[in-house]
């Protein structure tokens, strides 16, 4: 079984061969939500950039997981669990507040953490098209501080 190391504590993360194709090599991988939190807090402080379009006060479509606590619809249970985790940790966040547009592509990161000027993408399994789009985004927006919360941590947020 192939493995990668946690970007924070260097612990080996074993990945099933059939799932290896869903790992995005351009992003850090974390072994636990604790290591994710350490990476978020220690993320490089990049300058604030101008965003292509602000979606404040727009109604988002596609969210099918309604949360009475947050009074918004999330696109997945994983995102809801991450929002609850941010609340527990005392992080102020915004859900899908910005849209990036470039070369005919559109990308909306899941969370924005204003205190750290950091975007969080909660990702299920990567298909080839999504992986290519993320790589293209990184290449075209090197000043954006983006942390990927991979599907391998999904079970961590059920606890």
């Amino acid at each position: 079984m192939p493995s990668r190391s946690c970007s924070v504590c260097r612990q080996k993360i074993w990945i099933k061969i059939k799932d290896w194709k869903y790992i995005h090599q351009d992003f850090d991988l974390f072994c636990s939500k604790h290591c994710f939190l350490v990476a978020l807090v220690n993320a490089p402080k990049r300058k604030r950039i101008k965003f292509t379009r602000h979606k404040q006060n727009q109604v988002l479509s596609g969210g099918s997981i309604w949360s009475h606590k947050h009074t918004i619809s999330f696109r997945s249970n994983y995102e809801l669990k991450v929002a609850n985790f941010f609340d527990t940790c005392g992080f102020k966040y915004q859900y899908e507040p910005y849209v990036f547009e470039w070369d005919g592509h559109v990308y909306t990161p899941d969370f924005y953490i204003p205190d750290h000027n950091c975007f969080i993408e909660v990702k299920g399994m990567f298909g080839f098209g999504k992986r290519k789009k993320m790589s293209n985004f990184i290449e075209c927006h090197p000043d954006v501080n983006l942390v990927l919360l991979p599907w391998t941590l999904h079970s961590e947020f059920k606890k």
Side-chain angles (χ1 to χ4, degrees):
M1 202 175 342
S3 68
R4 277 190 51 198
S5 295
C6 174
S7 299
V8 174
C9 71
R10 300 294 176 219
Q11 177 179 329
K12 282 199 183 274
I13 302 169
W14 297 99
I15 301 159
K16 295 176 185 172
I17 292 174
K18 69 181 179 94
D19 295 335
W20 186 253
K21 65 184 174 187
Y22 299 115
I23 299 297
H24 199 296
Q25 302 299 326
D26 293 339
F27 284 95
D28 293 334
L29 203 58
F30 310 107
C31 66
S32 67
K33 61 185 175 185
H34 171 76
C35 285
F36 162 70
L37 200 55
V38 169
L40 175 61
V41 170
N42 294 328
K45 302 293 185 237
R46 297 189 177 147
K47 64 180 182 177
R48 296 219 180 251
I49 60 170
K50 290 188 176 183
F51 303 104
T52 306
R53 182 176 57 171
H54 194 278
K55 286 175 58 174
Q56 193 173 22
N57 300 326
Q58 289 184 357
V59 177
L60 296 176
S61 61
S64 60
I65 311 297
W66 175 255
S67 169
H68 290 285
K69 177 182 176 182
H70 304 285
T71 63
I72 57 175
S73 290
F74 292 95
R75 296 183 189 278
S76 70
N77 279 322
Y78 192 11
E79 290 176 0
L80 174 59
K81 301 287 187 206
V82 171
N84 289 336
F85 176 70
F86 286 150
D87 285 342
T88 301
C89 295
F91 277 98
K92 293 179 183 161
Y93 65 89
Q94 299 168 1
Y95 181 69
E96 294 188 342
Y98 299 103
V99 172
F100 293 91
E101 296 175 349
W102 77 101
D103 299 333
H105 298 284
V106 177
Y107 170 58
T108 306
D110 296 318
F111 294 96
Y112 177 63
I113 312 293
D115 293 344
H116 295 278
N117 189 30
C118 184
F119 289 93
I120 307 296
E121 176 65 29
V122 177
K123 204 64 182 161
M125 293 187 175
F126 266 109
F128 177 74
K130 297 282 186 188
R131 185 181 306 124
K132 187 175 178 180
K133 182 178 181 179
M134 290 301 292
S135 296
N136 189 281
F137 176 79
I138 294 165
E139 185 180 313
C140 293
H141 297 87
D143 291 337
V144 175
N145 191 10
L146 178 68
V147 175
L148 177 72
L149 190 54
W151 62 272
T152 54
L153 284 183
H154 188 272
S155 61
E156 276 280 310
F157 289 91
K158 290 181 181 177
K159 299 174 185 176

